[in-house]
PDB file of all heavy atoms in Angstrom:
ATOM      1  N   SER U 207       3.418 -58.379  -6.533  1.00 55.00           N
ATOM      2  CA  SER U 207       4.514 -57.634  -5.916  1.00 55.00           C
ATOM      3  C   SER U 207       5.083 -58.334  -4.704  1.00 55.00           C
ATOM      4  O   SER U 207       6.176 -58.016  -4.262  1.00 55.00           O
ATOM      5  CB  SER U 207       4.003 -56.250  -5.503  1.00 55.00           C
ATOM      6  OG  SER U 207       3.011 -56.378  -4.499  1.00 55.00           O
ATOM      7  N   ASP U 223     -10.649 -53.376  12.431  1.00 94.00           N
ATOM      8  CA  ASP U 223      -9.685 -52.493  11.780  1.00 94.00           C
ATOM      9  C   ASP U 223      -8.521 -52.108  12.702  1.00 94.00           C
ATOM     10  O   ASP U 223      -7.362 -52.251  12.317  1.00 94.00           O
ATOM     11  CB  ASP U 223     -10.396 -51.251  11.250  1.00 94.00           C
ATOM     12  CG  ASP U 223      -9.466 -50.326  10.485  1.00 94.00           C
ATOM     13  OD1 ASP U 223      -9.087 -50.669   9.348  1.00 94.00           O
ATOM     14  OD2 ASP U 223      -9.117 -49.256  11.022  1.00 94.00           O
ATOM     15  N   ILE U 225      -7.326 -53.659  15.268  1.00 96.00           N
ATOM     16  CA  ILE U 225      -6.500 -54.832  15.589  1.00 96.00           C
ATOM     17  C   ILE U 225      -5.532 -55.119  14.444  1.00 96.00           C
ATOM     18  O   ILE U 225      -4.344 -55.371  14.661  1.00 96.00           O
ATOM     19  CB  ILE U 225      -7.389 -56.051  15.892  1.00 96.00           C
ATOM     20  CG1 ILE U 225      -8.111 -55.856  17.229  1.00 96.00           C
ATOM     21  CG2 ILE U 225      -6.555 -57.338  15.932  1.00 96.00           C
ATOM     22  CD1 ILE U 225      -9.108 -56.951  17.566  1.00 96.00           C
ATOM     23  N   VAL U 243      -2.945 -52.761   5.186  1.00 98.00           N
ATOM     24  CA  VAL U 243      -4.302 -53.082   5.624  1.00 98.00           C
ATOM     25  C   VAL U 243      -5.267 -52.537   4.583  1.00 98.00           C
ATOM     26  O   VAL U 243      -5.184 -51.374   4.196  1.00 98.00           O
ATOM     27  CB  VAL U 243      -4.614 -52.461   6.995  1.00 98.00           C
ATOM     28  CG1 VAL U 243      -6.073 -52.741   7.388  1.00 98.00           C
ATOM     29  CG2 VAL U 243      -3.658 -53.003   8.057  1.00 98.00           C
ATOM     30  N   LEU U 298      -7.139 -67.686  16.283  1.00 98.00           N
ATOM     31  CA  LEU U 298      -8.182 -67.095  17.105  1.00 98.00           C
ATOM     32  C   LEU U 298      -7.505 -66.037  17.974  1.00 98.00           C
ATOM     33  O   LEU U 298      -6.772 -66.363  18.904  1.00 98.00           O
ATOM     34  CB  LEU U 298      -8.859 -68.156  17.987  1.00 98.00           C
ATOM     35  CG  LEU U 298      -9.902 -67.640  18.980  1.00 98.00           C
ATOM     36  CD1 LEU U 298     -11.046 -66.953  18.259  1.00 98.00           C
ATOM     37  CD2 LEU U 298     -10.425 -68.793  19.842  1.00 98.00           C
ATOM     38  N   ILE U 341     -23.500 -61.085  16.349  1.00 94.00           N
ATOM     39  CA  ILE U 341     -23.833 -61.672  17.648  1.00 94.00           C
ATOM     40  C   ILE U 341     -24.581 -60.657  18.510  1.00 94.00           C
ATOM     41  O   ILE U 341     -25.466 -61.020  19.294  1.00 94.00           O
ATOM     42  CB  ILE U 341     -22.563 -62.180  18.360  1.00 94.00           C
ATOM     43  CG1 ILE U 341     -21.797 -63.155  17.463  1.00 94.00           C
ATOM     44  CG2 ILE U 341     -22.928 -62.874  19.677  1.00 94.00           C
ATOM     45  CD1 ILE U 341     -22.570 -64.358  17.024  1.00 94.00           C
ATOM     46  N   ALA U 345     -27.933 -61.709  20.104  1.00 97.00           N
ATOM     47  CA  ALA U 345     -28.033 -61.699  21.568  1.00 97.00           C
ATOM     48  C   ALA U 345     -29.251 -60.889  22.009  1.00 97.00           C
ATOM     49  O   ALA U 345     -30.019 -61.319  22.883  1.00 97.00           O
ATOM     50  CB  ALA U 345     -26.762 -61.118  22.178  1.00 97.00           C
ATOM     51  N   GLN U 356     -40.327 -56.385  22.525  1.00 92.00           N
ATOM     52  CA  GLN U 356     -39.978 -56.197  21.119  1.00 92.00           C
ATOM     53  C   GLN U 356     -39.138 -54.936  20.958  1.00 92.00           C
ATOM     54  O   GLN U 356     -39.613 -53.829  21.195  1.00 92.00           O
ATOM     55  CB  GLN U 356     -41.250 -56.081  20.269  1.00 92.00           C
ATOM     56  CG  GLN U 356     -42.112 -57.337  20.291  1.00 92.00           C
ATOM     57  CD  GLN U 356     -43.397 -57.161  19.494  1.00 92.00           C
ATOM     58  OE1 GLN U 356     -43.496 -56.302  18.633  1.00 92.00           O
ATOM     59  NE2 GLN U 356     -44.398 -57.981  19.795  1.00 92.00           N
ATOM     60  N   GLY U 365     -18.850 -51.413  13.294  1.00 86.00           N
ATOM     61  CA  GLY U 365     -18.926 -50.831  14.627  1.00 86.00           C
ATOM     62  C   GLY U 365     -18.782 -49.321  14.632  1.00 86.00           C
ATOM     63  O   GLY U 365     -19.401 -48.638  15.456  1.00 86.00           O
ATOM     64  N   LEU U 373     -23.658 -42.485  19.834  1.00 97.00           N
ATOM     65  CA  LEU U 373     -23.145 -41.304  20.531  1.00 97.00           C
ATOM     66  C   LEU U 373     -23.958 -40.061  20.194  1.00 97.00           C
ATOM     67  O   LEU U 373     -24.109 -39.154  21.018  1.00 97.00           O
ATOM     68  CB  LEU U 373     -21.673 -41.079  20.176  1.00 97.00           C
ATOM     69  CG  LEU U 373     -20.696 -42.141  20.666  1.00 97.00           C
ATOM     70  CD1 LEU U 373     -19.292 -41.876  20.119  1.00 97.00           C
ATOM     71  CD2 LEU U 373     -20.662 -42.181  22.190  1.00 97.00           C
ATOM     72  N   ILE U 386     -15.581 -51.975  21.304  1.00 92.00           N
ATOM     73  CA  ILE U 386     -15.992 -50.686  20.746  1.00 92.00           C
ATOM     74  C   ILE U 386     -16.763 -49.830  21.752  1.00 92.00           C
ATOM     75  O   ILE U 386     -16.907 -48.625  21.554  1.00 92.00           O
ATOM     76  CB  ILE U 386     -16.822 -50.834  19.451  1.00 92.00           C
ATOM     77  CG1 ILE U 386     -18.176 -51.496  19.721  1.00 92.00           C
ATOM     78  CG2 ILE U 386     -16.061 -51.582  18.391  1.00 92.00           C
ATOM     79  CD1 ILE U 386     -19.149 -51.367  18.559  1.00 92.00           C
ATOM     80  N   ALA U 416     -25.964 -60.469  31.988  1.00 98.00           N
ATOM     81  CA  ALA U 416     -27.311 -60.857  31.572  1.00 98.00           C
ATOM     82  C   ALA U 416     -27.911 -61.825  32.577  1.00 98.00           C
ATOM     83  O   ALA U 416     -29.108 -61.754  32.894  1.00 98.00           O
ATOM     84  CB  ALA U 416     -27.266 -61.489  30.183  1.00 98.00           C
ATOM     85  N   ARG U 472      -6.474 -64.808  23.166  1.00 96.00           N
ATOM     86  CA  ARG U 472      -6.346 -66.266  23.052  1.00 96.00           C
ATOM     87  C   ARG U 472      -5.118 -66.625  22.230  1.00 96.00           C
ATOM     88  O   ARG U 472      -4.360 -67.529  22.597  1.00 96.00           O
ATOM     89  CB  ARG U 472      -7.604 -66.843  22.392  1.00 96.00           C
ATOM     90  CG  ARG U 472      -8.904 -66.559  23.159  1.00 96.00           C
ATOM     91  CD  ARG U 472      -9.136 -67.530  24.271  1.00 96.00           C
ATOM     92  NE  ARG U 472      -9.517 -68.830  23.749  1.00 96.00           N
ATOM     93  CZ  ARG U 472     -10.779 -69.210  23.534  1.00 96.00           C
ATOM     94  NH1 ARG U 472     -11.773 -68.377  23.798  1.00 96.00           N
ATOM     95  NH2 ARG U 472     -11.051 -70.415  23.073  1.00 96.00           N
ATOM     96  N   LEU U 473      -4.933 -65.976  21.099  1.00 97.00           N
ATOM     97  CA  LEU U 473      -3.796 -66.197  20.207  1.00 97.00           C
ATOM     98  C   LEU U 473      -3.609 -67.669  19.883  1.00 97.00           C
ATOM     99  O   LEU U 473      -2.489 -68.174  19.764  1.00 97.00           O
ATOM    100  CB  LEU U 473      -2.512 -65.598  20.813  1.00 97.00           C
ATOM    101  CG  LEU U 473      -2.579 -64.106  21.175  1.00 97.00           C
ATOM    102  CD1 LEU U 473      -1.221 -63.638  21.696  1.00 97.00           C
ATOM    103  CD2 LEU U 473      -3.028 -63.261  19.997  1.00 97.00           C
TER     104      LEU U 473
END
Side-chain angles (χ1 to χ4, degrees):
S207 65
D223 183 73
I225 290 175
V243 176
L298 175 61
I341 305 302
Q356 297 177 21
L373 293 174
I386 66 166
R472 300 277 287 269
L473 304 183

